[in-house]
Amino acid sequence: MFKVLDSIRERPKSIMEVQMETGISQVAFYNRVIPTLKELRLIEETYEPGKHNTVKRVIKITEKGRKLLETLTEIWTIAEVSQ
């Protein structure tokens, strides 16, 4: 989940772009990761027009997600320095 939040830290991205960037398997990503992040209100999902009359799913980090990401990043940094 950290990978997903970190991927959308700077800007909203298409759900497919995030899945490819993170390298999480499609099954886990679409059936477990995204629903869990939405349920926890760490991300929001919107729909935008795509190419050739398709719809593109876009996710963005929420304020709650941003706070969690900042905390996790701080913990990770402290853990790396300790080693």
Side-chain angles (χ1 to χ4, degrees):
M1 290 187 195
F2 177 84
K3 286 182 178 183
V4 174
L5 295 176
D6 193 45
S7 175
I8 58 175
R9 176 193 304 243
E10 298 298 321
R11 66 175 176 83
K13 295 182 181 177
S14 77
I15 202 164
M16 181 184 281
E17 182 180 4
V18 175
Q19 187 273 320
M20 291 172 61
E21 280 182 8
T22 59
I24 300 170
S25 77
Q26 284 187 352
V27 172
F29 187 79
Y30 289 102
N31 295 334
R32 191 77 170 148
V33 175
I34 294 301
T36 300
L37 289 172
K38 286 170 56 177
E39 183 179 317
L40 294 172
R41 296 186 181 128
L42 300 175
I43 63 169
E44 293 176 347
E45 183 177 14
T46 58
Y47 299 88
E48 296 179 358
K51 296 179 182 176
H52 311 291
N53 293 327
T54 60
V55 176
K56 180 168 59 169
R57 294 169 65 187
V58 175
I59 56 173
K60 72 175 188 173
I61 193 167
T62 63
E63 188 58 34
K64 182 178 177 181
R66 190 170 302 286
K67 287 178 184 177
L68 177 61
L69 181 61
E70 288 172 5
T71 301
L72 292 173
T73 301
E74 185 177 329
I75 291 168
W76 185 259
T77 302
I78 291 169
E80 283 184 331
V81 170
S82 300
Q83 293 181 4

